[in-house]
Amino acid sequence: MKNLIALAGWLWLGAGLVRAQPAAVRPTAEEHGRQVAVFQMELNAEYRDSTRTPLPREARRTFGGLPFYPVSYEACVAARFEADSLGAPFQMQTSTARRPLYRKYGVLHFAFEGKPQQLTVYQSLDLQQNPAYRGYLFVPFTDRTNGHGSYGGGRYIDLRRGQIRQGKVVLDFNRAYNPYCAYQAGYSCPVPPAENRLLVVIAAGVRSDH
């Protein structure tokens, strides 16, 4: 996994630790369970690695693994992707005074608990300058668990352009993870825009007690 935080100034250039999702076809429940187990194992490995972890030194000494919600197959949804990349670049709000440039890449339409939902997908203009990361996409969001079981500042999901096939993509909230700001001050983390504030409870992904 690639840590995309610049060494100078702890700048958050994209979604942070870029984690890929499966392809556009929703996996079976059994396959999904295996995929999420691998995701959790790799994420825990990153947080144990002193060269990649956002955890302060004191927390690393007792780190036994991140707290996750129970794996939820219902939180792995098939989404319809609607391209929308004509908007001008904008300055995304962060937890600091920094305002990195992003552009809207498109919108994901999906159903959760029988109700229609949508999330905007963003693309970092900083990452576009690096050929190795031009395919990375960013989905920051909040839901009704924030501050009540998950991190109050919102969570992130990473995607790649190649995962969008024939206008479809798998959106798995079991892969939602916290910004680095959830663990230590000094990071500049994107704040989920108002259009990505979901009014449903999504009890999946990384938990937090604050």
Side-chain angles (χ1 to χ4, degrees), residues 21 108 121 135-137 139 157-161 163 169-170:
Q21 284 190 324
L108 298 174
V121 182
Y136 289 112
L137 303 172
V139 186
I157 294 176
D158 297 329
L159 294 174
R160 296 189 186 185
R161 287 188 300 185
Q163 294 169 234
V169 66
V170 171

Side-chain angles (χ1 to χ4, degrees), residues 13-63:
L13 295 182
L17 297 172
V18 175
R19 286 169 273 276
Q21 284 190 324
V25 178
R26 189 171 184 246
T28 65
E30 185 177 358
E31 290 170 337
H32 176 253
R34 289 195 296 265
Q35 292 171 359
V36 174
V38 171
F39 167 80
Q40 294 180 354
M41 180 180 65
E42 291 178 345
L43 188 57
N44 280 328
E46 289 173 357
Y47 278 61
R48 292 189 184 96
D49 185 341
S50 62
T51 66
R52 297 183 292 169
T53 183
L55 299 176
R57 186 184 302 273
E58 300 76 22
R60 291 203 301 269
R61 294 195 184 102
T62 58
F63 180 71

Side-chain angles (χ1 to χ4, degrees), residues 38-123:
V38 171
F39 167 80
Q40 294 180 354
M41 180 180 65
E42 291 178 345
L43 188 57
N44 280 328
E46 289 173 357
Y47 278 61
R48 292 189 184 96
D49 185 341
S50 62
T51 66
R52 297 183 292 169
T53 183
L55 299 176
R57 186 184 302 273
E58 300 76 22
R60 291 203 301 269
R61 294 195 184 102
T62 58
F63 180 71
L66 291 167
F68 293 96
Y69 282 100
V71 177
S72 170
Y73 186 53
E74 291 71 26
C76 177
V77 299
R80 176 175 62 85
F81 175 75
E82 179 183 4
D84 184 3
S85 57
L86 298 179
F90 69 97
Q91 294 182 330
M92 184 174 287
Q93 181 183 353
T94 72
S95 56
T96 67
R98 192 177 67 92
R99 295 293 183 269
L101 288 176
Y102 280 79
R103 74 180 182 98
K104 185 175 180 179
Y105 189 78
V107 179
L108 298 174
H109 300 272
F110 60 98
F112 190 80
E113 295 184 343
K115 299 178 181 179
Q117 311 290 336
Q118 67 178 51
L119 285 173
T120 297
V121 182
Y122 303 97
Q123 194 171 44

Side-chain angles (χ1 to χ4, degrees), residues 132-192:
Y133 302 113
R134 285 178 183 165
Y136 289 112
L137 303 172
F138 181 42
V139 186
F141 74 97
T142 63
D143 67 277
R144 292 213 164 149
T145 68
N146 294 115
H148 304 280
S150 70
Y151 179 57
R155 292 180 291 169
Y156 302 157
I157 294 176
D158 297 329
L159 294 174
R160 296 189 186 185
R161 287 188 300 185
Q163 294 169 234
I164 303 171
R165 301 178 183 176
Q166 298 181 330
K168 298 179 181 179
V169 66
V170 171
L171 181 65
D172 190 355
F173 288 97
N174 292 276
R175 294 168 176 265
Y177 64 96
N178 292 333
Y180 275 9
C181 303
Y183 306 103
Q184 189 173 182
Y187 293 102
S188 182
C189 305
V191 175

